[in-house]
Amino acid sequence: MIKKILLADSGTGNSKEMLQSLLDLPSLGGANVTVLTIVPPQASEDAMSSKMAEADEVLAKAVDTLNLNPEQISTLKRQGEPKDTVLKVAEEVEADLIIMGSRGLKRLVAILENSVSQYVFQLAKRPMLLVRDDLYVRKLKRVMVALDKSETSQSSLDLATFLLNGATGVELILARVNPDLDPKLLPLSKAEIENNPIIAAAIAKVKRFGIPYSAVVLAGKPGEQLCQLVDEKNVDLFLLGSPDRRPSVAKALPDLDRLLGTSLSDYVRVNANCPVLLTRKNEG
């Protein structure tokens, strides 16, 4: 499912370290990586020359840090608006996964400060892994996937099983937050959790891959509960399906209604204290 990875590297944050953790997984050991760095428009030729030289240093450091087989890694240096360029290059290289750093800006601030990661996420057709700049990236031991009735949730589960197939020492946490469940009924017994229809279907799939798992069913607001689970379970990577995409007619304009709304993916993007892999419906 993931053969080509695009790492958008600005030279800051921990996205390279996150990619290294992913490449330790047997499923991604042979993936090809394109490292992209972008030089925005500058006020003068001297400033542009300086920024281009800095971009070369960013790429060289990334190649050195990742230490991959030369046949597995390539670099790209582009000029232009970062948010548009990332999307364009993702299409060019046919990336199966985009990895980017994120400042974790909240909705209104992200709009006002023209957040690159927020813009790319809103428009990307591909799974996108956001690594907040203030997070410490750890070796993957606990991976969590949020489950509900949606097709994007199933895409997240499929991606999680792909990633963890053949991995050792990694647990998959199946998390279901049911806002209609009466909190007075909690905590549910293990049997009640595993008999939950959504959890039961997920367990059947996970068992086919022989992946160690645990399951949780909670009540309340999904965003808040999922972010709490990230902390309680010391989750190292969180997969969440996100059906929230702007219609093509609105691509030229900021989607204020979506960005200022109560999108679950937007809440988790900002508040989850681990890298977040936001997936789309599997169209393949």
Side-chain angles (χ1 to χ4, degrees), residues 118-153:
Q118 177 64 39
Y119 182 94
V120 172
F121 165 61
Q122 285 291 111
L123 293 185
K125 300 176 182 178
R126 308 160 191 279
M128 183 173 178
L129 176 51
L130 292 173
V131 187
R132 274 209 337 252
D133 292 347
D134 61 340
L135 293 176
Y136 176 74
V137 174
R138 300 174 299 221
K139 180 178 176 64
L140 296 182
K141 294 183 179 179
R142 290 163 295 273
V143 175
M144 187 169 85
V145 59
L147 299 174
D148 56 31
K149 299 177 182 178
S150 69
E151 293 183 57
T152 53
S153 166

Side-chain angles (χ1 to χ4, degrees), residues 17-188:
E17 288 74 14
M18 186 68 238
L19 176 55
Q20 284 180 305
S21 290
L22 288 177
L23 293 175
D24 285 340
L25 298 172
S27 59
L28 293 183
N32 291 315
V33 175
T34 300
V35 183
L36 168 69
T37 193
I38 302 165
V39 180
Q42 302 296 315
S44 67
E45 289 187 12
D46 287 344
M48 177 60 75
S49 296
S50 175
K51 290 295 183 182
M52 293 292 278
E54 289 178 13
D56 288 333
E57 292 177 4
V58 168
L59 292 175
K61 182 178 179 181
V63 171
D64 183 61
T65 298
L66 294 171
N67 193 29
L68 294 174
N69 184 319
E71 295 181 356
Q72 273 187 269
I73 189 167
S74 58
T75 61
L76 283 177
K77 178 175 64 174
R78 292 288 178 87
Q79 298 180 42
E81 283 294 335
K83 58 187 183 181
D84 298 316
T85 305
V86 171
L87 289 168
K88 182 178 179 181
V89 171
E91 293 294 321
E92 287 177 11
V93 304
E94 299 181 326
D96 301 308
L97 174 65
I98 301 169
I99 301 179
M100 291 186 68
S102 167
R103 290 173 291 167
L105 300 177
K106 294 188 178 180
R107 290 183 286 271
L108 180 58
V109 179
I111 297 170
L112 296 177
E113 295 199 11
N114 201 20
S115 167
V116 175
S117 61
Q118 177 64 39
Y119 182 94
V120 172
F121 165 61
Q122 285 291 111
L123 293 185
K125 300 176 182 178
R126 308 160 191 279
M128 183 173 178
L129 176 51
L130 292 173
V131 187
R132 274 209 337 252
D133 292 347
D134 61 340
L135 293 176
Y136 176 74
V137 174
R138 300 174 299 221
K139 180 178 176 64
L140 296 182
K141 294 183 179 179
R142 290 163 295 273
V143 175
M144 187 169 85
V145 59
L147 299 174
D148 56 31
K149 299 177 182 178
S150 69
E151 293 183 57
T152 53
S153 166
Q154 290 308 303
S155 292
S156 286
L157 180 60
D158 289 342
L159 183 52
T161 54
F162 165 79
L163 289 173
L164 300 188
N165 188 20
T168 58
V170 187
E171 176 191 24
L172 179 58
I173 301 167
L174 306 172
R176 166 74 172 131
V177 179
N178 183 355
D180 298 322
L181 179 63
D182 186 347
K184 294 178 182 178
L185 299 177
L186 299 177
L188 300 182

